[in-house]
Amino acid sequence: MELTRLIVKGGVISPGELREVVNMAMEHGLDSISFGSRQDIIFPKGLKYLDKEKLGKHHFVLPNEQSGNNIVSSYVSTDIFRNTNWLTGNKFLYILEQFKEQPKLKVNITDPKQQLVPLFTGHLNFIASEHEDYWYLYLRLPKWERMEVYPVLIYSWDIATFYYQIEKIIAEESCGIEILFSLLSEVLDTNNRTIDKPLNIPFYPFPYYEGMNRMGIDQYWLGLYWRNNLYDLDFLKEMCDLCFDCKIGKICITPWKSFIVKGIPKDRKLEWEKFLGKKGINVRHSLLELNWHLPVAMEWALNLKTFLVRTLDQFDISTYGLTFGLSEYNRDGHYFTSIVVEKNELPAALESIKIRDTYNVLFAKNFDPNTREYIVHSQDIDKLELPTILIELSRRYFDELGNSTTETTENIQKKEKPQLEIYQCQECLTLYNTEYGDESQGIPKGILFTDLAENYCCSLCEGPKSNFKLLEVVAN
C-alpha cells in the first residue's frame, strides 16, 4: 500500500504545526493519522488533494514520490532517559536547524546512551561521543555492502555541511570510505577531531515510555501509544489546545508509533489525567504489546501481533526490556528490534492456491539490536508455533541478562575482519589502502604500504613515499 507521509524533522513538531496537520487531514475527510518508524506522520487513507498554497512549510511525500527521507533524532529521549552529559535538547534543535533542504538519504542523529531510538538505521548515522560537540559518523551508503566508520569525529555545527557534501559526492560518483574521506578533506574546512577511542554502546533493557511520568522536580512527561496506530484527530486537536494552554512548545514522535509530550507543569497534571480519562485513553498498556514495531497499514501484521500478545498473556510471560518486530521478508536484514518475525514470500507459482503463511524468527546477538548482528533461530514455521518460540527466546533473554560484556564497535569490527593500515599523501591527500593496492601502478591488492619499494611515488602528485603518513588502522 502506498501512503502519503509528512516529514517531521528529527521527530520534533510544535503543537501549532500538529494542529495545522490535523485540520488539513480533517479537510480531507480523515478521522485519524498514524506515525512511522522514522518519526514521520502517515496518512493511512491517503489525501485526495494537496493545495500547495496551504502547505506552507510542511513537506509532504506523496505515493511513488522520491522526495527525501526524514531525519531521525533522539531528541525525544532528552531529559527523560539516560543521556550523554553534554547532549541537551537545545543542542539537537540547533543541529536540526542546520538542515535547510530535505535530505535525500536517511540521517540518524542519536545519543548512544539511550535505547528508545535506533542508532544505525540511517545511511549516515551521527552518534554522540564523550567529547562535547563531537560525533562519530557511521556510514552505510546506498550500494555499500557494510557499514564503515568515518576516520575522524565530526563537530556539531559541521554535521549538516558534511551531510550535504556527501549527498553531492555520491550523486556524481560511487566511492568507498577512503575516497570519500579524501574528497571531503579536499573541499571542506571543518573542525574535526581525532578518534581517540572506539564508540562504546552500553546495553540497557528497553525503557517503558508510556503514561504520566515525573520529569525533574516540578514537571511531568506523557507517553501515548495506541495499539492500532490510528490516532483520533479530534483527540489530537484538543490535546494541542491543552499544550498551548500549558505553554508546551514541542511534541516528540518516537520510532515506535507513539509520541511523547514533555514539560507538563506539576500543577496541571490532574487536568491532563482528567482529559485522558474523559477521552477513554489507556495509558498503561501491557509490556507484552507495547514494544512492537509493525509496518504501517499492514493488516496481517496487526492481526499477527494481536494473536501473539494474547497468547503470551495467557502464559503470564514477561517481555520487559525486549522489543519485537514483524516484517515481510527483508533481504537486507536492516532491523532494530531484539526479536524479529519475518513473513516469508509466497512463491509466485502458488499464489493462486490458498496455503498458510510461514515465518522465520531471528534474534539480535545478546538481544541488543545495536550489534546489528542477527541470528536465525527458526525458519519456515507455522503461525501456531510462534508463541512457543517467543516464550523460549524471552526466557533465554532473562537467563543471559547481565552476563554479556559490553562490546565496542571496534571489537565487533575486529571479529569480522583483520586490521589494515591506511596511509595518506600529505601533499594531495591521496590514500593508499592495502585492501585495494594501487592499480594505476600495477600494485595488487593485499600489499602492505611498508612493503612497497622505496621508489614508490604517489599516483596523483608523484610525491615520494616519504610524503605518506599513517592515517588510521581500520578493519577490512
Side-chain angles (χ1 to χ4, degrees), residues 369-423:
N370 285 327
T371 64
R372 291 167 284 142
E373 184 178 338
Y374 280 86
I375 301 163
V376 177
H377 180 279
S378 307
Q379 289 183 293
D380 299 319
I381 62 172
D382 188 79
K383 169 183 172 180
L384 297 179
E385 299 176 79
L386 288 174
T388 302
I389 291 172
L390 297 188
I391 290 171
E392 177 188 333
L393 287 174
S394 67
R395 288 173 176 160
R396 178 172 175 176
Y397 162 72
F398 285 109
D399 285 341
E400 297 178 1
L401 189 59
N403 295 335
S404 59
T405 56
T406 301
E407 289 191 294
T408 63
T409 52
E410 183 180 77
N411 290 338
I412 294 170
Q413 290 173 350
K414 281 180 180 177
K415 291 177 182 178
E416 293 175 351
K417 42 194 179 177
Q419 287 188 339
L420 295 175
E421 295 178 338
I422 293 177
Y423 282 77

Side-chain angles (χ1 to χ4, degrees), residues 148-268:
E148 303 280 1
V149 60
Y150 196 71
V152 294
L153 298 178
I154 311 299
Y155 187 49
S156 287
W157 317 126
D158 292 333
I159 284 179
T161 303
F162 258 87
Y163 169 76
Y164 288 121
Q165 193 61 44
I166 289 174
E167 184 182 277
K168 180 180 178 181
I169 288 173
I170 69 167
E172 297 171 355
E173 60 179 301
S174 177
C175 59
I177 186 69
E178 294 85 5
I179 295 175
L180 187 66
F181 177 72
S182 178
L183 293 173
L184 290 170
S185 299
E186 286 179 15
V187 299
L188 295 181
D189 181 17
T190 51
N191 186 17
N192 301 332
R193 178 171 180 149
T194 302
I195 296 177
D196 56 3
K197 62 176 68 174
L199 172 63
N200 179 39
I201 306 172
F203 174 74
Y204 301 106
F206 191 79
Y208 191 87
Y209 60 86
E210 197 188 21
M212 191 75 72
N213 302 272
R214 186 176 289 278
M215 176 181 170
I217 299 173
D218 56 0
Q219 291 184 326
Y220 286 81
W221 63 270
L222 171 67
L224 284 177
Y225 164 86
W226 288 5
R227 62 168 60 96
N228 60 4
N229 195 23
L230 293 173
Y231 288 82
D232 181 76
L233 295 180
D234 287 323
F235 166 79
L236 291 176
K237 189 172 183 178
E238 289 187 44
M239 189 198 70
C240 288
D241 290 339
L242 191 51
C243 286
F244 279 129
D245 198 34
C246 292
K247 297 181 173 54
I248 294 169
K250 306 294 180 187
I251 295 171
C252 310
I253 301 171
T254 82
W256 299 89
K257 320 296 173 67
S258 57
F259 67 92
I260 287 175
V261 179
K262 294 187 280 188
I264 296 173
K266 183 178 180 180
D267 60 358
R268 305 296 293 272

Side-chain angles (χ1 to χ4, degrees), residues 256-424:
W256 299 89
K257 320 296 173 67
S258 57
F259 67 92
I260 287 175
V261 179
K262 294 187 280 188
I264 296 173
K266 183 178 180 180
D267 60 358
R268 305 296 293 272
K269 176 175 178 279
L270 180 59
E271 185 177 347
W272 276 82
E273 289 176 339
K274 290 176 66 175
F275 167 67
L276 296 172
K278 288 179 179 179
K279 290 293 182 179
I281 305 301
N282 175 17
V283 292
R284 288 296 171 189
H285 285 91
S286 162
L287 279 170
L288 285 172
E289 63 179 321
L290 189 59
N291 302 339
W292 289 73
H293 180 260
L294 276 63
V296 174
M298 291 287 186
E299 188 176 354
W300 73 265
L302 187 58
N303 291 340
L304 180 58
K305 177 198 166 180
T306 301
F307 163 74
L308 292 173
V309 167
R310 288 177 178 173
T311 307
L312 293 177
D313 187 48
Q314 291 175 355
F315 288 94
D316 286 331
I317 299 299
S318 171
T319 58
Y320 175 71
L322 284 172
T323 55
F324 299 85
L326 300 181
S327 171
E328 292 180 319
Y329 182 72
N330 182 353
R331 297 184 189 281
D332 294 327
H334 294 162
Y335 299 121
F336 64 88
T337 59
S338 310
I339 298 172
V340 178
V341 177
E342 289 181 337
K343 179 184 177 185
N344 286 316
E345 291 180 305
L346 185 66
L350 301 177
E351 286 182 352
S352 59
I353 306 172
K354 191 172 183 179
I355 60 175
R356 294 169 69 93
D357 290 317
T358 62
Y359 303 87
N360 306 322
V361 179
L362 304 84
F363 65 98
K365 180 181 178 182
N366 300 329
F367 293 94
D368 179 5
N370 285 327
T371 64
R372 291 167 284 142
E373 184 178 338
Y374 280 86
I375 301 163
V376 177
H377 180 279
S378 307
Q379 289 183 293
D380 299 319
I381 62 172
D382 188 79
K383 169 183 172 180
L384 297 179
E385 299 176 79
L386 288 174
T388 302
I389 291 172
L390 297 188
I391 290 171
E392 177 188 333
L393 287 174
S394 67
R395 288 173 176 160
R396 178 172 175 176
Y397 162 72
F398 285 109
D399 285 341
E400 297 178 1
L401 189 59
N403 295 335
S404 59
T405 56
T406 301
E407 289 191 294
T408 63
T409 52
E410 183 180 77
N411 290 338
I412 294 170
Q413 290 173 350
K414 281 180 180 177
K415 291 177 182 178
E416 293 175 351
K417 42 194 179 177
Q419 287 188 339
L420 295 175
E421 295 178 338
I422 293 177
Y423 282 77
Q424 184 175 46

